[in-house]
Amino acid sequence: MSLTVQINVSGSAPAAAAKLRGIMSERAGLNNRVAEDAQKFVQAYGANTSATEHKTAGTLGATPSGHLEQAYQAIQQVSDGTSATLLIPRASRLRAAFGGYALVPGPGKKYLTIPACAEAYAKRAGEFGDLFFARVGPNKTAILARDLGGGQIQTMYVLVTSANIPEARNLLPWDTLPGEATRSITAYCDEALTSALRPSPPAL
């Protein structure tokens, strides 16, 4: 998704307007400022959002993994003379901010492993050496389980061939980003214009 901010220069003193147009024509510095400010803004937003996005961990009674917070901190920014861009980690929960999608097993794999207990949450099935495959219940649901002895088993993972991940637009601050970009541009121009119009010190 791209955002466009339009800046019109009007109503300024001729000298200031000319300076401001010159500042606006040098887009590399401006875009760098916008990209840096946007990165900080989104990561600060993410620090608050990730603190409340623990539905699966809460359901299982597990300790939150911190994966979402790490995804926010992994957001990078790049800029040049034509654009300012945020790079969002695709292989993360943040993908859902751009719309729903179907999650499927990776190459050479048949199933996705969905944790079914707190011990399995945020861990790979391969980290356990005592799991076995079974089908249980009237629907013959595929699972990975652990033998507890005495004829008892513990379901560690439910196995599925795909999972539909719903859109979670709230994971990124889409509605407030344009305003933040405008504030960043305004601050950059104000600072640059103040510096450009500051009288030069007298020669010694």
Side-chain angles (χ1 to χ4, degrees), residues 27-41:
R27 296 297 179 85
L30 173 60
N31 289 340
N32 181 68
R33 173 65 172 269
V34 171
E36 289 182 344
D37 287 351
Q39 180 188 33
K40 293 175 183 177
F41 174 70

Side-chain angles (χ1 to χ4, degrees), residues 50-68 93 114-123:
S50 59
T52 63
E53 293 285 324
H54 302 310
K55 183 178 180 180
T56 300
T59 299
L60 297 177
T63 300
S65 66
H67 287 171
L68 180 57
R93 175 82 175 97
I114 309 301
C117 63
E119 189 176 354
Y121 180 73
K123 292 183 179 179

Side-chain angles (χ1 to χ4, degrees), residues 95-176:
R95 181 178 174 182
F98 297 87
Y101 62 96
L103 188 63
V104 297
K109 297 183 179 180
K110 186 177 180 180
Y111 294 110
L112 297 171
T113 53
I114 309 301
C117 63
E119 189 176 354
Y121 180 73
K123 292 183 179 179
R124 298 178 182 275
E127 295 181 45
F128 299 94
D130 57 350
L131 303 184
F132 63 89
F133 177 87
R135 290 188 178 276
V136 298
N139 295 325
K140 301 298 181 181
T141 301
I143 65 169
L144 290 178
R146 170 182 283 171
D147 187 354
L148 298 179
Q152 300 293 314
I153 66 171
Q154 178 185 17
T155 300
M156 298 291 286
Y157 298 92
V158 175
L159 304 180
V160 298
T161 56
S162 66
N164 290 320
I165 309 300
E167 180 182 27
R169 183 178 172 82
N170 67 297
L171 292 176
L172 290 174
W174 298 117
D175 295 336
T176 51

Side-chain angles (χ1 to χ4, degrees), residues 27 31-32 35 78-85:
R27 296 297 179 85
N31 289 340
N32 181 68
V78 294
S79 65
D80 55 26
T82 61
S83 65
T85 304

